[in-house]
Amino acid sequence: MTMLSPEALKKIDREVAKYPPGHRQSAVMSALAIAQDEKGWLAPETMDFVARYLGMPPVAVYEVATFYAMYNLAPTGRHKVTVCTNLPCALQGATRAAAQLKERLGIGFGETTPDGAITLREGECMGACGDAPVLLVDNKRMCSSMTPDRLDALVDELKAVGGADGK
Amino acid sequence: MSAPGGFLDYGPDAIIMAGLTGSNWRLADYVARGGYSALRKILTERIPPTTVIGEVKRSALRGRGGAGFPTGLKWSFMPQQYQGDKYLVCNSDEGEPGTFKDRDILRYNPHVLIEGMAIAAYAMGCGRGYNYIHGEIWETYERAEEAVAEAYAAGFLGTDILGSGFSFLLHNHHGYGAYICGEETALLESLEGKKGQPRFKPPFPASFGLYGKPTTINNTETFAAVPWIINHGGEAFLNLGRPNNGGTKLFSVSGDVARPGNFEVPLGTPFATLLDMAGGMRDGRKLKACIPGGSSMPVLPGDVMMQTDMDYDSIAKAGSMLGSGAVIVMNDTRCMVKSLLRLSYFYYEESCGQCTPCREGTGWLWRVVDRIEHGQGRADDIDLLLSVSDNIAGRTICALGDAAALPVKSFIRHFRDEFQHHIDHRQCLVPAYI
Amino acid sequence: MLNLEIDGKAVQVAPGSTVMDAAQQLGIHVPHFCYHKKLSIAANCRMCLVQVEKAPKPLPACATPAAEGMKAWTHSELAVTAQKAVMEFLLVNHPLDCPICDQGGECQLQDLAVGYGPSASRYREAKRVVSHKSLGPLVSAEEMARCIQCTRCVRFGQEIAGAMELGMIGRGEHSEIVAFGGRSVDSELSGNMIDICPVGALTSKPFSYAARTWELSRRKSVSPHDALGSNLVVQVKNDRVMRVLPLENEAVNECWISDKDRFSYEALNGPERLTAPMIRQGGQWIAVDWQTALDFTAHALKDVTARHGGAALGTLVSPHATLEEMTLAARLTRALGSDNVDFRLRQADFRGDGQGEGIPWLGLPIADINDQDRVLVIGSFLRKDHPLIAQRLRQAAKKGAQVSMLHAVADDWLLPLAHSWITVPSLLPAALAGIVVAAARLAGAAVPAALAGVEPSERAQAIAASLASGQRKAILLGNLAEQHAEASQLLALAQALAGITGARFGCLSEAANSVGGHVAGALPQSGGLDARAMLENPRRAYLVLHAEPAFDCANPVAARAALDAAEFVAVLSPFRHGADYASVLLPVAPFTETAGSFVNCEGRAQRFNGVVKPLGETRPAWKLLRVLGSLLGLPGFDFATIDEVRASLPIQEAAIAGRLGNGTRVAITAPAAGAQGVERVADVPIHFADALVRRAPSLQQTADAAAPCARMNAATLQKLGVVAGADVRIRQGRGEAVLAAAVDAAVPDGAVRISAAHPSTSALEGLSGPIEITGA
Ligand SMILES: Cc1cc2nc3c(=O)[nH]c(=O)nc-3n(C[C@H](O)[C@H](O)[C@H](O)COP(=O)(O)O)c2cc1C
Ligand code: SF4
Ligand code: FES
């Protein structure tokens, strides 16, 4: 019963190889990220699979998945948009950007648009404050200096890309 | 200045970030700039590790991650004679609000870090290293992966580097959204595949670090300064700055300035100069307050800041700390209660949850500040905030507890009126905050 | 040694000690929650903050290393201010409704909070809501808002139980203790989490709201289950056992007990108790008074032995019976002219009888287990048969001991194994012989002549090499080895291996009084029949004390046949059973209702008293046997007190140590080739193992009490042409059973694991040997 694709397993193996023998557990964060990229979120079966794959107690995997903010423990929209609203960003327009997103999408933080396109999240410092407003799309793509126009363009893009079949 | 893709200007005195265009990050570019010559020199001339450490000590390089601990001294704590694995770890988990310098090193000059780490590994006899990169800067992580691959391919990493017999295996490890992993022992736990919960010290990482083995952890910028020190000598580095405050420092300037960005200036540069480099106050507003070292450090009033030089000792004298070098600038339209509220929420959100004062206290602080901000403050709330802060500070496993308490105490110390006004009048003292 | 001063008092501690250790040595109590002397240091609760000279901040006593010349104050103003502040934080999110909390009265948080004086909370916000969790039938997690995140339960799982079943998920204020995916906690040591939880978050499910702690009286006792002899505190209210807790004894159970020690008390109050003597008359069971029952029994015994001779009587004693009960049962049997008495009911091989140098035992003090650096465990369902010995081996392994396993199934002992060798039961002697030969070659010692033809495998050499190194070594035989058809050979081989490698060797021992049975002389001494022979050669009359032959005998089929055919069977038991073959049922006291003693695996005799009055018409068995002896006019039964019984023990308690010895004169023979076809591996699951646990409802709901399956590996399944999940018909000897087949990679090729001591498998003959499996 393989829960992840061979490509995903290959990626995980590459991560495992970074650590000394006997320390497969060190790869759990990347394994979960890879699993999430493939599945969209971390279902209990997925975490259980990762646990077995790395030889960890499942609850230890669960601990990790719930400790780090970028793991999705429930399905999200096709895209997840995380806005940093921390103080430096807030001073540079993040509050306005967040408000614009909420209004345009018609949802609050932690919610998903009715069409299932976008889940909006509030994030903490991303280490990119100079480029505020910054937001993260699907954990991996950072969008910087988000003026109102660029925000609108991004929303258009995200609503269009992927379509009904998701990503 | 770091406009995406454009010409990067970190200031005339930059050494780590000198000559960067944003696209000359590859190994060939770095070598063309004279890169990897320090490592090559050490390995070909077989310079003894103790000499390398001595040079770093002479440079008065202090840790750029926040605590400012002398780097050479830290390196000398590693047991030289230890038989068995020793590890070197780079802390690129930059997540302290206001700090965004390590990302620029990683994406625009990754090989200077790799070279610095290889030298450090040689000096301390570490066979393996990990660079722990903040999860949110994924594209930077991918670039770091590419750079490391280049370095392996060119023989600057791996076994028997440059035929010297010295081996160093370096890998990148990404975080996934937890500020606390910037704390060095939380970072080690995270590297081991666990929750990032800080360890009680002692034992310190130099005796019980990654996988229980001797380990040294430094910030990205700390390692990045090392090649220059080896190339030019510790003395020269020290002379760039001030006694006990050697070298240049990257300051991340954010907030109400015209051109937020990173600037690499000699330690001891006046704050006013730095502010100028950042284009001065946005819209010509008045400087009200500044947090000079990242959100965990005490806030200072603008006029105090304007008198202060940017080095460890001067900022300490002014009543704050240089920390990670994140300069958060606030103008006169900013409500200090609202500003603190956002910071308090951050520490509440990011507490790892293991130790009682921080787990329970950060939420308490946030809730009290929240009710003050929202016109529900009570007469004794300011004292309550101070008392709860005192009860957290110094009683936790790691310094996040202090980091949560210090802003509260300093915001109240310098801007008590604003808090009092909120409580008394259930509204903000600042007429029009944004 | 380090010299330091705590609260002005000088103290010396070993390097590596903490300020907490030093304070405890002085008898100074430092308040704490996360610290537990048996667990790793977490230093997360911060309750133990103390003042240390030159330290600007208060430091946690539990984690701060003691240093030469250090001065610390545990109750200075700085310390107490810090402690009070921590207490205030702990109560921020903790419900303040002690009166309705199940932990009320025995809560460390409540105790300390009261100690720091009542202070109105300055925290006026809403408290955190934490959902309750379902952790299975034993541990209640209904009140998780009370959790103070000390992580003792998590660390207990990781470090003591050996499996991380609980974790703390989330972070910050949202941290909570959970089991993954709502699973139950299945550790056989899980109940200890209840004890170590300092608040009312994890509590006992069976005990839930049954009583308040101050209503309970506490009485010491000894566990009647495994051979460790865990020390217990039995808590009683209105003459009813309400709860069982560990009584700390570092030499025996430390501060732990197994779940069966803890929860088997439920059977004591259950509906299956036999509360009045009963006689079968014309196929009907009728309750009678004691006089009638005893007269009837005495008469029948006298009659059978008079008509058929003393040897017509056989006495089967449970190894869970007390020393005193065993002594008197044996005495009665002998006085009636029979030497047919035995407590070794699951043993199959008695060829070692008369060849031993002493009483078989563990071979070393229990506490020494933690300090071994090489251990070979042979034929043991270690974790389930000896939960706390497994725990001690886990601690030894953590300190670097190499523990190796030679067994018939690859059980997960939840401890790192240096080597593990799994082979079908019939090949265990050959495997052990290989290790002996390899060890002899390594040591340059003589190879036992009978093993000349044995060529050690790589695994044998690896295990031998492990045993050849190291200083403190032990070779331990488990229940499967003791119940093995070649048990006497396994013992002889273990003895040889121990001799060559300089190890101690011994038997983990099956039951609470397995060693005591020898002390009591409850086994044939002058040519009488052993437990197996007594059943294979049916007797006219049987006396059955505490045993349930259908579950407790090696061959339940033979046992049933013999008992069915007997003229007279007297069953002495706290429970109603044996109705279909018994002639008389005599209610005797379980361990909580009588005084007695058990001799544990290290030869430690532990006395206990009854903690409640016998239920109904129940009588302590020792009294009943005395009356029987008197009624029969037999010598040796005129005593009035348990102490007089004890004074008449064949071996006095103090003399036991001198009589222990595992040495055997059994000659090693060339090991036989393995059996043809498939053979059975039978474990006796932890919660099927004795009459008490079998009737404890909560234990019966645990994963360990799941109904037996026919477990085999995929290759064996395929070879037999059966599929997992489907029912299969199993034939063993005269017996037959239908069970579901299950795939289990831990079972070696050619073996099928079928648990014993369960109604669904008690029709099968023998705990080992060839079986036939076909699709049902
Ligand atoms: C809550 C917390 C967060 C921290 N975050 C960072 C960080 O993001 N980057 C970093 O280099 N150091 C961080 N530190 C400091 C590290 O613990 C450590 O002191 C540093 O990495 C040592 O490197 P240096 O000596 O080169 O400064 C943090 C410390 C604390 C207590
Ligand atoms: S101070 Fe906060 S972040 Fe640091 S260990 Fe304690 S709970 Fe975790
Ligand atoms: S007992 Fe020391 S911190 Fe909890």
Side-chain angles (χ1 to χ4, degrees):
Chain A
M1 186 208 57
T2 299
M3 279 285 309
L4 295 175
S5 68
E7 299 75 56
L9 294 184
K10 225 161 91 191
K11 281 190 201 163
I12 295 176
D13 291 342
R14 212 156 42 224
E15 295 298 322
V16 168
K18 289 180 175 179
Y19 307 95
H23 295 289
R24 291 176 71 83
Q25 179 167 351
S26 280
V28 67
M29 291 179 67
S30 40
L32 287 174
I34 291 162
Q36 177 166 303
D37 284 349
E38 183 160 301
K39 303 267 173 193
W41 68 291
L42 297 175
E45 309 85 78
T46 310
M47 289 188 271
D48 215 4
F49 176 83
V50 168
R52 250 175 297 132
Y53 199 73
L54 297 177
M56 293 170 66
V59 75
V61 172
Y62 194 27
E63 282 190 338
V64 168
T66 53
F67 189 86
Y68 299 92
M70 290 162 70
Y71 295 114
N72 305 333
L73 290 148
T76 63
R78 287 193 301 279
H79 297 287
K80 181 174 77 170
V81 174
T82 312
V83 194
C84 174
T85 59
N86 212 305
L87 180 62
C89 283
L91 297 173
Q92 290 165 229
T95 316
R96 175 197 43 73
Q100 183 186 339
L101 278 173
K102 285 182 190 171
E103 190 179 312
R104 167 85 201 269
L105 299 173
I107 54 173
F109 285 139
E111 295 175 1
T112 302
T113 51
D115 64 354
I118 297 175
T119 298
L120 190 61
R121 292 254 176 95
E122 182 172 33
E124 289 301 344
C125 184
M126 298 173 180
C129 331
D131 300 343
V134 282
L135 42 87
L136 206 52
V137 176
D138 298 332
N139 284 347
K140 304 217 159 153
R141 171 177 163 205
M142 187 175 279
C143 302
S144 306
S145 310
M146 296 308 283
T147 58
D149 290 350
R150 295 180 63 170
L151 272 178
D152 272 335
L154 179 73
V155 171
D156 292 341
E157 178 202 325
L158 295 182
K159 286 223 162 199
V161 177
D165 60 319
K167 60 181 171 101
Chain B
M1 156 63 206
S2 49
F7 175 65
L8 302 175
D9 181 8
Y10 291 91
D13 298 314
I15 55 171
I16 297 170
M17 306 305 272
L20 302 182
T21 62
S23 52
N24 58 353
W25 60 271
R26 292 205 168 268
L27 183 115
D29 305 311
Y30 182 64
V31 171
R33 290 198 293 279
Y36 285 113
S37 53
L39 178 65
R40 191 181 296 279
K41 176 167 137 189
I42 286 171
L43 295 183
T44 50
E45 294 176 19
R46 300 188 185 282
I47 297 179
T50 46
T51 309
V52 176
I53 295 178
E55 209 55 47
V56 174
K57 278 187 177 166
R58 236 185 317 280
S59 76
L61 173 64
R62 292 171 63 169
R64 304 304 195 214
F69 193 84
T71 303
L73 185 60
K74 186 188 267 189
W75 291 12
S76 67
F77 292 156
M78 281 288 267
Q80 284 290 345
Q81 303 311 320
Y82 182 85
Q83 299 297 314
D85 299 333
K86 286 188 267 186
Y87 293 96
L88 187 70
V89 173
C90 174
N91 188 341
S92 299
D93 192 34
E94 187 171 64
E96 170 91 353
T99 318
F100 47 91
K101 64 192 176 68
D102 297 337
R103 178 172 72 139
D104 274 8
I105 298 174
L106 286 170
R107 58 181 177 167
Y108 298 141
N109 203 9
H111 286 284
V112 76
L113 171 69
I114 296 170
E115 185 182 9
M117 285 191 76
I119 293 168
Y122 170 83
M124 290 176 274
C126 303
R128 266 181 192 268
Y130 293 95
N131 183 18
Y132 190 106
I133 300 175
H134 199 47
E136 284 86 343
I137 50 170
W138 188 263
E139 290 132 325
T140 303
Y141 168 76
E142 289 185 326
R143 178 164 297 179
E145 285 281 87
E146 268 191 79
V148 162
E150 284 183 325
Y152 273 106
F156 295 121
L157 288 176
T159 47
D160 192 18
I161 296 173
L162 303 176
S164 64
F166 167 63
S167 300
F168 179 53
L169 306 178
L170 175 65
H171 294 288
N172 296 302
H173 179 110
H174 66 78
Y176 229 53
Y179 163 67
I180 189 59
C181 291
E183 196 283 337
E184 57 189 16
T185 55
L187 186 152
L188 295 178
E189 290 283 298
S190 184
L191 259 175
E192 292 181 4
K194 306 180 204 156
K195 292 184 289 182
Q197 292 194 324
R199 300 174 181 169
F200 179 80
K201 296 182 272 186
F204 291 92
S207 55
F208 190 92
L210 184 60
Y211 309 127
K213 299 289 196 288
T215 301
T216 289
I217 305 153
N218 278 116
N219 173 252
T220 319
E221 186 186 352
T222 312
F223 285 124
V226 169
W228 197 95
I229 292 170
I230 299 303
N231 283 327
H232 301 83
E235 195 73 26
F237 187 81
L238 171 62
N239 290 337
L240 292 175
R242 289 185 173 174
N244 195 35
N245 293 270
T248 58
K249 171 83 186 85
L250 269 159
F251 287 99
S252 305
V253 185
S254 65
D256 294 322
V257 294
R259 282 191 297 130
N262 286 313
F263 305 96
E264 187 184 355
V265 298
L267 280 170
T269 300
F271 171 72
T273 310
L274 187 64
L275 186 57
D276 274 349
M277 291 173 87
M281 295 299 292
R282 193 189 318 120
D283 303 331
R285 284 264 170 207
K286 195 169 164 286
L287 174 67
K288 175 177 183 178
C290 175
I291 307 176
S295 66
S296 305
M297 301 305 163
V299 67
L300 291 175
D303 48 349
V304 176
M305 259 335 274
M306 290 307 284
Q307 306 305 313
T308 302
D309 295 340
M310 300 303 287
D311 62 73
Y312 295 94
D313 298 339
S314 303
I315 295 181
K317 232 174 78 195
S320 186
M321 281 175 269
L322 182 132
S324 59
V327 180
I328 306 171
V329 177
M330 288 171 271
N331 69 25
D332 53 352
T333 68
R334 301 302 177 182
C335 168
M336 288 296 119
V337 180
K338 195 180 172 80
S339 300
L340 177 61
L341 176 60
R342 189 59 188 83
L343 292 182
S344 291
Y345 181 75
F346 172 71
Y347 293 106
Y348 160 67
E349 195 45 44
E350 297 293 338
S351 164
C352 86
Q354 69 173 324
C355 62
T356 306
C358 173
R359 181 185 64 244
E360 308 294 343
T362 50
W364 194 354
L365 288 177
W366 166 62
R367 289 184 177 99
V368 175
V369 179
D370 186 66
R371 71 173 180 237
I372 297 175
E373 163 67 14
H374 290 101
Q376 309 289 315
R378 298 174 189 167
D380 56 357
D381 271 353
I382 295 180
D383 290 337
L384 180 63
L385 284 175
L386 291 174
S387 160
V388 172
S389 299
D390 281 339
N391 284 343
I392 300 172
R395 292 175 187 167
T396 49
I397 292 181
C398 84
L400 190 138
D402 304 87
L406 282 177
V408 175
K409 294 181 66 169
S410 62
F411 270 74
I412 293 177
R413 183 184 319 123
H414 296 297
F415 304 98
R416 191 171 181 130
D417 289 355
E418 279 189 47
F419 288 81
Q420 196 64 52
H421 191 89
H422 266 262
I423 293 171
D424 295 344
H425 303 282
R426 312 212 168 279
Q427 65 181 27
C428 195
L429 183 63
V430 183
Y433 61 83
I434 300 161
Chain C
M1 295 300 270
L2 304 166
N3 298 285
L4 58 161
E5 228 178 65
I6 313 270
D7 294 347
K9 296 184 195 122
V11 61
Q12 265 203 344
V13 294
S17 306
T18 61
V19 174
M20 180 73 88
D21 296 331
Q24 292 202 328
Q25 201 170 310
L26 284 168
I28 295 171
H29 178 74
V30 183
H32 61 263
F33 294 110
C34 67
Y35 168 79
H36 188 284
K37 63 182 175 207
K38 294 284 179 188
L39 303 177
S40 64
I41 294 166
N44 60 30
C45 78
R46 317 307 281 178
M47 194 62 221
C48 67
L49 291 172
V50 297
Q51 182 176 357
V52 176
E53 190 180 45
K54 293 200 204 89
K57 308 183 277 188
L59 299 176
C62 69
T64 303
E68 180 63 32
M70 182 182 249
K71 285 194 177 129
W73 298 270
T74 66
H75 292 85
S76 65
E77 198 191 321
L78 182 92
V80 172
T81 311
Q83 293 161 11
K84 279 188 171 166
V86 171
M87 179 54 74
E88 183 183 33
F89 283 131
L90 281 170
L91 296 178
V92 158
N93 274 307
H94 190 89
L96 298 176
D97 53 358
C98 305
I100 63 154
C101 173
D102 211 18
Q103 190 89 353
E106 52 184 348
C107 171
Q108 291 170 38
L109 186 65
Q110 184 185 31
D111 292 349
L112 275 176
V114 169
Y116 282 103
S119 68
S121 176
R122 298 188 292 167
Y123 184 80
R124 292 169 231 150
E125 274 61 36
K127 286 181 192 268
R128 160 177 60 216
V129 176
V130 186
S131 65
H132 62 93
K133 313 285 182 306
S134 171
L135 300 181
L138 305 179
V139 180
S140 166
E142 293 298 315
E143 293 285 344
M144 292 313 281
R146 303 187 191 280
C147 168
I148 56 168
Q149 279 93 353
C150 70
T151 66
R152 275 182 175 187
C153 56
V154 177
R155 284 176 285 145
F156 174 85
Q158 292 172 301
E159 297 162 18
I160 306 295
M164 186 184 183
E165 294 187 280
L166 293 181
M168 190 164 86
I169 60 155
R171 73 178 184 218
E173 208 183 72
H174 313 292
S175 306
E176 46 181 312
I177 298 293
V178 302
F180 181 74
R183 290 175 193 173
S184 53
V185 170
D186 293 337
S187 164
E188 62 284 347
L189 298 174
S190 71
N192 295 294
M193 293 178 182
I194 298 165
D195 295 342
I196 59 167
C197 177
V199 295
L202 301 180
T203 53
S204 163
K205 201 171 254 184
F207 177 68
S208 252
Y209 298 101
R212 307 300 282 179
T213 172
W214 53 86
E215 305 169 330
L216 299 169
S217 49
R218 290 159 173 71
R219 316 251 162 88
K220 291 182 190 178
S221 192
V222 177
S223 164
H225 301 294
D226 63 42
L228 191 79
S230 286
N231 292 195
L232 309 177
V233 176
V234 180
Q235 300 194 330
V236 172
K237 178 183 161 186
N238 299 337
D239 249 329
R240 186 181 163 98
V241 174
M242 304 300 290
R243 183 163 70 166
V244 172
L245 298 175
L247 176 66
E248 194 167 333
N249 185 340
E250 199 53 30
V252 178
N253 51 305
E254 304 169 78
C255 52
W256 316 121
I257 53 174
S258 69
D259 286 353
K260 76 170 164 180
D261 293 338
R262 184 183 302 269
F263 296 109
S264 68
Y265 75 86
E266 281 194 298
L268 301 169
N269 310 321
E272 286 186 58
R273 282 293 298 272
L274 176 67
T275 51
M278 302 186 89
I279 292 178
R280 195 215 304 258
Q281 265 181 359
Q284 293 290 312
W285 281 100
I286 51 167
V288 295
D289 60 18
W290 270 108
Q291 190 65 45
T292 311
L294 287 168
D295 282 344
F296 175 78
T297 307
H299 176 81
L301 287 173
K302 195 179 238 165
D303 177 54
V304 172
T305 48
R307 280 190 287 120
H308 303 287
L313 172 66
T315 297
L316 298 166
V317 182
S318 162
H320 300 273
T322 69
L323 194 52
E324 295 78 1
E325 291 165 350
M326 287 181 163
T327 301
L328 295 181
R331 188 176 296 165
L332 185 80
T333 308
R334 294 211 169 87
L336 286 167
S338 172
D339 191 36
N340 308 332
V341 55
D342 211 340
F343 68 94
R344 300 165 299 173
L345 306 185
R346 292 200 182 101
Q347 191 167 316
D349 175 11
F350 292 89
R351 284 170 288 180
D353 278 15
Q355 306 293 313
E357 66 170 11
I359 298 173
W361 70 300
L362 185 61
L364 68 167
I366 291 168
D368 280 15
I369 291 175
N370 301 52
D371 300 322
Q372 299 305 299
D373 42 33
R374 296 291 182 274
V375 182
L376 172 62
V377 183
I378 302 163
S380 176
F381 303 95
L382 183 73
R383 186 152 68 86
K384 299 299 176 180
D385 286 351
H386 312 283
L388 289 173
I389 291 197
Q391 185 276 135
R392 285 185 181 270
L393 279 171
R394 204 165 284 139
Q395 305 313 319
K398 201 171 290 170
K399 288 192 286 179
Q402 294 182 6
V403 180
S404 301
M405 164 201 256
L406 172 59
H407 194 20
V409 280
D411 270 350
D412 189 353
W413 291 348
L414 300 178
L415 58 91
L417 292 176
H419 305 283
S420 128
W421 187 356
I422 306 304
T423 184
V424 292
S426 61
L427 283 173
L428 283 176
L432 186 52
I435 300 171
V436 172
V437 172
R441 287 188 193 164
L442 272 177
V447 172
L451 305 184
V454 174
E455 196 43 50
S457 66
E458 243 169 68
R459 259 177 306 195
Q461 292 173 24
I463 294 174
S466 168
L467 283 171
S469 59
Q471 298 297 315
R472 295 171 303 278
K473 317 168 189 186
I475 298 166
L476 302 172
L477 294 156
N479 294 359
L480 182 125
E482 283 199 73
Q483 292 157 6
H484 197 275
E486 296 287 342
S488 54
Q489 276 302 306
L490 287 172
L491 181 66
L493 288 163
Q495 170 175 260
L497 183 59
I500 294 164
T501 57
R504 290 185 279 185
F505 77 110
C507 304
L508 287 163
S509 309
E510 183 189 331
N513 220 11
S514 290
V515 174
H518 292 269
V519 174
L523 67 177
Q525 287 176 335
S526 46
L529 301 178
D530 56 52
R532 176 178 173 177
M534 253 188 267
L535 298 172
E536 287 178 354
N537 308 287
R539 304 290 94 193
R540 304 272 182 172
Y542 288 97
L543 210 56
V544 181
L545 175 58
H546 283 299
E548 283 181 87
F551 301 134
D552 294 341
C553 288
N555 185 341
V557 178
R560 289 294 304 270
L563 290 163
D564 281 344
E567 282 174 38
F568 175 75
V569 177
V571 169
L572 285 64
S573 168
F575 299 105
R576 250 182 283 120
H577 68 80
D580 41 355
Y581 52 72
S583 318
V584 55
L585 300 175
L586 302 173
V588 297
F591 78 111
T592 45
E593 297 169 20
T594 178
S597 342
F598 294 127
V599 183
N600 77 357
C601 58
E602 61 176 354
R604 176 190 296 258
Q606 302 191 101
R607 296 179 174 190
F608 55 89
N609 286 316
V611 298
V612 291
K613 282 207 292 281
L615 186 70
E617 289 301 311
T618 299
R619 294 288 178 268
W622 67 270
K623 289 190 181 170
L624 187 155
L625 290 163
R626 181 198 61 189
V627 177
L628 259 185
S630 303
L631 279 177
L632 287 161
L634 303 173
F637 288 89
D638 46 350
F639 41 76
T641 65
I642 189 93
D643 286 332
E644 288 173 49
V645 185
R646 285 167 177 159
S648 76
L649 291 177
I651 301 172
Q652 287 298 299
E653 281 175 20
I656 295 173
R659 300 288 291 274
L660 301 172
N662 291 310
T664 177
R665 289 183 296 272
V666 168
I668 292 175
T669 57
Q676 298 292 310
V678 282
E679 54 186 288
R680 178 176 178 191
V681 180
D683 59 326
V684 179
I686 183 166
H687 299 328
F688 298 169
D690 61 61
L692 223 48
V693 288
R694 287 195 276 264
R695 294 175 174 81
S698 300
L699 291 177
Q700 290 310 311
Q701 291 164 35
T702 60
D704 275 331
C709 296
R711 314 179 72 87
M712 58 201 108
N713 68 22
T716 309
L717 271 174
Q718 198 181 16
K719 210 172 99 192
L720 296 174
V722 292
V723 288
D727 279 352
V728 290
R729 185 174 306 281
I730 299 144
R731 281 191 202 83
Q732 185 180 20
R734 289 164 282 176
E736 205 176 274
V738 175
L739 295 177
V743 60
D744 183 347
V747 181
D749 283 348
V752 181
R753 177 176 180 154
I754 301 169
S755 300
H758 189 269
S760 66
T761 59
S762 67
L764 297 174
E765 287 210 65
L767 298 174
S768 60
I771 53 173
E772 254 178 70
I773 294 199
T774 51

